[in-house]
């Protein structure tokens, strides 16, 4: 079975500051890892994903995440926060060969002017 | 390309009423699933389907039924609504794991906000 833990249900940063959203996973086999973003009253939109290969993956809107197998982590970062980044972010894991996708509880990002 | 379409967007039910949440996708995805989203709990899997005629239970299936008569459609039925089913419901679709190498992510609909009073 696989599971995801997102550390911090709320994160607040100032505009222009570093964004760091933490995600740790557990999986018995090599995982596929995802970050999704949800804007108010909207569905989930894929930010980025890790499947195989390069462990540093870049996504949309300047976000990136690094897969660290030794730490079972997949933290999401952005060097400089923008007001438009305010949203809820979900980390998700899927095992290769399995359709079941499991989500973390989510982290709400607030960006202060 | 519409992606995943859910209807309705909002619904209010009385306890004991039944209803069907509709979900359709036009990407020829084999795998479809229903999640519910509750504050502080992320998304929890209700039911899923790996293809037409095949469905199975997820983490929180009680009180919900599904069927999959076509590749495109995957409706979710609430037979007798309860206040505990007040939630936001999302339908998602993706390629089957039998096709690894294709896109592995799930595509989501815009959600249905359901209130049971």
């Amino acid at each position: 079975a696989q599971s995801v833990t997102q550390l911090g249900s709320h994160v607040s940063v100032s505009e222009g500051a570093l964004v760091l959203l933490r995600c740790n996973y557990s999986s018995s086999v090599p995982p596929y890892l995802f970050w999704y973003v949800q804007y108010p009253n909207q569905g989930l939109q894929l930010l980025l994903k890790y499947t195989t290969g390069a462990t540093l993956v870049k996504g949309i809107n300047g976000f990136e995440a690094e897969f660290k197998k030794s730490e079972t982590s997949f933290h999401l970062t952005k060097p400089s926060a923008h007001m438009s980044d305010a949203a809820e972010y979900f980390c998700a894991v899927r095992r290769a060969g399995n359709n079941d996708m499991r989500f973390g509880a989510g982290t709400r990002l607030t960006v202060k002017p | 390309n519409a992606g995943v379409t859910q209807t309705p967007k909002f619904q209010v039910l009385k306890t004991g009423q039944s209803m069907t949440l509709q979900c359709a996708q036009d990407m020829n995805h084999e795998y479809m699933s229903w999640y519910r989203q509750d504050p502080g709990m992320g998304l929890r899997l209700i039911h899923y389907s790996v293809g037409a005629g095949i469905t199975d239970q997820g983490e929180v299936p009680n009180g919900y039924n599904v069927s999959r008569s076509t590749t495109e459609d995957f409706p979710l039925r609430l037979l007798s609504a309860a206040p505990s089913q007040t939630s936001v419901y999302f339908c998602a679709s993706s390629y089957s794991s039998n096709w690894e190498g294709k896109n592995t992510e799930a595509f989501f609909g815009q959600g249905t906000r359901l209130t049971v009073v």
Side-chain angles (χ1 to χ4, degrees):
Chain A
Q2 65 268 25
S3 65
V4 175
T5 302
Q6 290 185 240
L7 300 175
S9 58
H10 290 89
V11 170
S12 180
V13 300
S14 297
E15 191 172 20
L18 171 72
V19 175
L20 171 61
L21 305 182
R22 299 178 187 273
C23 172
N24 287 89
Y25 71 91
S26 67
S27 177
S28 55
V29 297
Y32 295 154
L33 295 160
F34 309 85
W35 276 100
Y36 284 85
V37 60
Q38 184 183 33
Y39 299 103
N41 299 315
Q42 305 242 341
L44 278 71
Q45 178 184 359
L46 182 70
L47 268 181
L48 51 78
K49 64 181 180 182
Y50 168 79
T51 53
T52 58
T55 56
L56 181 64
V57 293
K58 296 184 185 299
I60 61 172
N61 302 337
F63 284 93
E64 62 182 38
E66 186 171 10
F67 169 58
K68 291 188 176 181
K69 184 178 178 180
S70 61
E71 299 177 8
T72 61
S73 69
F74 191 58
H75 302 331
L76 181 71
T77 61
K78 182 173 181 178
S80 177
H82 191 272
M83 297 296 290
S84 61
D85 294 328
E88 187 145 24
Y89 293 79
F90 292 94
C91 183
V93 62
R94 220 197 92 191
R95 286 180 292 159
N98 187 298
N99 295 293
D100 190 0
M101 183 177 283
R102 297 297 172 111
F103 287 83
T107 298
R108 183 168 299 279
L109 176 67
T110 302
V111 182
K112 299 175 291 186
Chain B
N1 190 338
V4 180
T5 303
Q6 289 183 238
T7 56
K9 286 187 168 52
F10 302 93
Q11 184 70 49
V12 179
L13 287 179
K14 293 183 178 179
T15 297
Q17 284 186 315
S18 63
M19 81 160 295
T20 299
L21 308 186
Q22 301 292 344
C23 175
Q25 55 93 8
D26 60 1
M27 295 174 282
N28 203 30
H29 286 162
E30 302 89 355
Y31 185 78
M32 295 185 73
S33 52
W34 277 100
Y35 291 88
R36 59 177 289 171
Q37 182 183 20
D38 301 292
M41 304 189 76
L43 278 76
R44 291 180 293 169
L45 183 65
I46 304 171
H47 284 286
Y48 65 93
S49 169
V50 298
I54 306 170
T55 64
D56 208 343
Q57 297 180 350
E59 301 171 77
V60 288
N62 292 341
Y64 308 96
N65 280 348
V66 292
S67 60
R68 183 99 177 266
S69 56
T70 66
T71 299
E72 295 78 17
D73 299 299
F74 190 44
L76 178 73
R77 297 184 187 84
L78 285 71
L79 298 178
S80 179
S84 61
Q85 294 178 304
T86 294
S87 187
V88 181
Y89 292 85
F90 287 100
C91 179
S93 73
S94 64
Y95 286 109
S96 167
S97 63
N98 293 330
W99 294 91
E100 304 293 28
K102 285 193 173 183
N103 292 330
T104 55
E105 68 268 28
F107 294 80
F108 285 82
Q110 293 295 294
T112 296
R113 187 174 295 275
L114 176 68
T115 302
V116 183
V117 298

